[in-house]
Amino acid sequence: MSRTDADVVFLGGSVVTIDDARPQAEALAVRDGRIAAVGDAADVRALVGPGTEVVDLAGGCLLPGFVEAHGHPVSLGFGTDGPIRDIRPTTVRTAEGVMAAIREAVATADPEHGAYLFGWDGLLQKGLVEPTRAWLDTLSPDRPLAVITNSAHAVYANSAALRASGITRDTPDPVGAHFVRDADGEPTGKGLEGGALAAIVGSALARRPPGPDTLRTNLAELNGVGVTTVGELAFHASRRPMIDALRAEGGLTARLRLYEASDPTLSTAVPLLNGDDMVRQVGIKTWADGSPWNGNIATSFPYLDTHATRVVLGLPCSHHGETNYDREAYRAIAEAYFAEGWQLACHAQGDVTTDMVLDVWEELLAQHPDMTDRRLRLEHCGAMTREQYDRAARLGVTCSLFMAHVRYWGEVLVDDLFGPRGEEWVAARSALGAGVRISLHNDGTVTPPDPLGNVRTAVTRRTESGRVLATHETITVEQALRAQTLDAAWQLHADDVIGSLTPGKYADLVVLSADPRDTAPEAIGDIAVRATYLEGAPV
């Protein structure tokens, strides 16, 4: 084969480049894992040689590989593999199924270590109520029993699990987390945020941490829906051997961009310049508040007084929630990493939380005017307002939007939790209208990876049941595709090598059965992923 020949050529369909220089093409050629040419069919066909593989798109569509800017492929296994049983709503849909799984877990649990389950969501698994310590004691009087919510922002433990964890009224709250206590100061069994979860279920996780096969499976699921690059937004250095082992086997089938979970010591041993185009740590992740499904997001408006808030979530009337840190504590964390040059990614759901984070970031940017192109990231942005998006745009802040909140919890947001404020949850058009670059994501453990489903939801704002919320916050198909490709890559500091079908970039590609731009909006999520390629090789 002449080195002027292509290794692979794609013909016979639409080529959507997400490249403003040439948005549409007829064909694409790959050589040595990179995009060699994009253009008219006749011009690209000239690169076909004796050894060139010619892929017929058969009327389908070629796009850049999708980018999941906010995922958890490395940490996902800790909640779905090993000693913790998976009861997420996408795995166990009914309350009856959840109860059966809990009873089985208790009956088969090791008497010393107990039973641990992940994925409880009484808002979707209708019929469940708040799993209080007293109620869990009736299910498992002697053995430890703990359930982690689907958001992973709360855990509920029985008395035996608290004893096994050594948690008493005198146990101090972890940094950025806390144990809920009753009027007498005794722990109720409910813990909020990562530090509390680690204290209660950490020993269970340590017994059998997930290995390379778990990561292989998670990446295969991502490849199956067209994802070729994924951000890991809760990375810990202890998980690096898992990545290295799979890479040594040749089993990494998607690029990884790692965000280390912020540590109370405010330090990281990883150099700012590290890794390569396949695996690189690019930022630090903090959690300024929690989940709307657990009542721990800080909002200027109250939760409604409904059966869902009172009985399912156990919240008091007119509950508002709070941030995980006060302003000064969050500033200390952000400043420590910002001063070292790290990109900051901060989980912020409530509008009060968003104000606090933007206040701190504005101060840091003013103090370090030489630190440009930091691409500071706000994550999820559920209750973020148009005014806050305007402010974010002025500061150069980018937002990764959890569009699946609208798809799966749309009715819950409006009818059960927030009323009219829930209508405009994840306001994508407001973000783009303000000039904010956005990505769309599924958050790994919380909802299954589904880029085309995200595009459909962003374009229609249609829930699973068919209800449509706030049509004035819909965006175009082209904008949604860009948010799943080039702009998501830009958030990950990877747009120089992926995200668009531009000559010289890696040939990370997805072949679809139809062009989303020519598909009825409500049917975009039904488009089939025919193939996914990493550097021109099918994965």
Side-chain angles (χ1 to χ4, degrees):
M1 173 185 285
S2 167
R3 289 322 298 152
T4 60
D5 295 342
D7 298 322
V8 188
V9 163
F10 295 85
L11 298 161
S14 60
V15 178
V16 182
T17 68
I18 320 294
D19 183 344
D20 292 339
R22 182 165 190 166
Q24 178 80 30
E26 295 177 334
L28 179 142
V30 177
R31 184 186 303 119
D32 297 330
R34 303 267 185 166
I35 297 170
V38 181
D40 298 334
D43 294 336
V44 174
R45 197 182 294 276
L47 300 177
V48 174
T52 302
E53 177 188 2
V54 177
V55 177
D56 182 4
L57 296 174
C61 176
L62 186 69
L63 275 161
F66 294 128
V67 178
E68 170 78 337
H70 183 126
H72 297 284
V74 180
S75 52
L76 172 61
F78 283 82
T80 60
D81 194 16
I84 295 185
R85 188 166 305 207
D86 183 2
I87 57 168
R88 291 175 295 164
T90 53
T91 305
V92 182
R93 295 188 179 275
T94 66
E96 293 77 13
V98 170
M99 292 307 303
I102 292 176
R103 292 189 183 99
E104 182 185 357
V106 171
T108 58
D110 179 282
E112 178 184 355
H113 295 128
Y116 299 86
L117 302 98
F118 166 67
W120 177 284
D121 190 336
L123 295 169
L124 296 185
Q125 296 156 327
K126 300 293 187 181
L128 296 176
V129 299
E130 186 184 25
T132 63
R133 174 179 175 178
W135 182 73
L136 292 173
D137 283 347
T138 67
L139 298 177
S140 183
D142 304 314
R143 301 179 181 184
L145 170 61
V147 294
I148 304 168
T149 62
N150 186 44
S151 70
H153 285 275
V155 61
Y156 291 89
N158 72 346
S159 297
L162 291 179
R163 288 195 298 271
S165 305
I167 296 170
T168 69
R169 63 181 297 129
D170 299 320
T171 302
D173 286 337
V175 175
H178 73 276
F179 304 109
V180 179
R181 305 171 194 271
D182 63 22
D184 296 324
E186 294 292 337
T188 66
K190 182 178 181 179
L192 293 171
E193 297 306 313
L197 270 69
I200 293 173
V201 304
S203 60
L205 293 174
R207 291 204 310 275
R208 199 174 84 203
D213 285 344
T214 299
L215 179 56
R216 186 197 312 274
T217 298
N218 295 341
L219 294 181
E221 182 182 17
L222 288 160
N223 298 151
V225 293
V227 173
T228 53
T229 297
V230 56
E232 166 56 66
L233 271 287
F235 181 67
H236 190 275
S238 64
R239 297 161 194 169
R240 190 59 190 247
M242 178 200 303
I243 298 172
D244 293 341
L246 186 59
R247 186 170 190 177
E249 298 170 10
L252 277 186
T253 57
R255 303 183 193 280
L256 297 175
R257 292 297 179 268
L258 310 175
Y259 289 76
E260 184 174 330
S262 62
D263 188 276
T265 63
L266 306 181
S267 65
T268 178
V270 177
L272 193 62
L273 298 177
N274 67 86
D276 53 26
D277 289 341
M278 195 68 190
V279 180
R280 180 178 295 126
Q281 182 172 325
V282 295
I284 300 295
K285 169 74 177 301
T286 54
W287 288 260
D289 65 2
S291 167
W293 327 134
N294 300 138
N296 61 333
I297 67 172
T299 58
S300 62
F301 49 92
Y303 278 73
L304 302 176
D305 182 21
T306 64
H307 174 85
T309 56
R310 283 183 279 104
V311 178
V312 178
L313 302 185
L315 303 179
C317 185
S318 299
H319 178 75
H320 281 263
E322 59 187 6
T323 58
N324 292 335
Y325 310 97
D326 63 29
R327 188 176 183 283
E328 292 310 309
Y330 175 68
R331 181 188 167 91
I333 294 171
E335 186 169 25
Y337 292 118
F338 186 91
E340 294 298 317
W342 286 103
Q343 180 190 24
L344 305 182
C346 186
H347 170 118
Q349 290 275 23
D351 58 332
V352 170
T353 309
T354 300
D355 275 338
M356 180 189 76
V357 174
L358 292 177
D359 284 347
V360 169
W361 286 359
E362 185 165 16
E363 291 176 4
L364 295 180
L365 289 165
Q367 290 176 6
H368 301 275
D370 56 319
M371 293 187 177
T372 59
D373 197 27
R374 298 301 291 274
R375 306 183 195 184
L376 302 178
R377 290 181 51 172
L378 285 172
E379 307 299 311
H380 306 325
C381 310
M384 195 164 170
T385 66
R386 175 59 189 262
E387 293 73 23
Q388 290 174 325
Y389 283 120
D390 288 338
R391 185 182 180 194
R394 291 196 300 272
L395 297 175
V397 171
T398 180
C399 296
S400 190
L401 305 184
F402 199 170
M403 190 55 64
H405 270 194
V406 174
R407 174 179 176 179
Y408 292 103
W409 289 272
E411 288 88 353
V412 169
L413 285 163
V414 178
D415 300 337
D416 296 328
L417 302 186
F418 300 121
R421 290 301 295 260
E423 284 271 353
E424 298 181 341
W425 207 256
V426 192
R429 188 186 290 188
S430 288
L432 292 176
V436 173
R437 294 180 77 165
I438 65 170
S439 66
L440 308 177
H441 68 254
N442 288 103
D443 199 16
T445 58
V446 183
T447 62
D450 188 3
L452 288 170
N454 289 340
V455 171
R456 175 184 59 192
T457 304
V459 172
T460 67
R461 290 190 64 88
R462 187 181 299 273
T463 71
E464 284 284 87
S465 69
R467 184 167 168 181
V468 176
L469 305 180
T471 56
H472 58 277
E473 286 298 345
T474 59
I475 62 177
T476 68
V477 175
E478 289 81 3
Q479 288 170 330
L481 289 173
R482 188 180 180 98
Q484 282 285 178
T485 54
L486 183 59
D487 283 356
W490 179 84
Q491 284 185 343
L492 299 174
H493 288 271
D495 56 305
D496 57 329
V497 292
I498 62 165
S500 65
L501 302 184
T502 302
K505 288 190 177 184
Y506 287 111
D508 296 356
L509 316 166
V510 59
V511 179
L512 305 180
S513 61
D515 188 332
R517 302 170 306 170
D518 300 329
T519 303
E522 62 274 9
I524 290 174
D526 300 322
I527 295 173
V529 173
R530 289 179 174 169
T532 304
Y533 292 79
L534 188 72
E535 294 187 24
V539 291

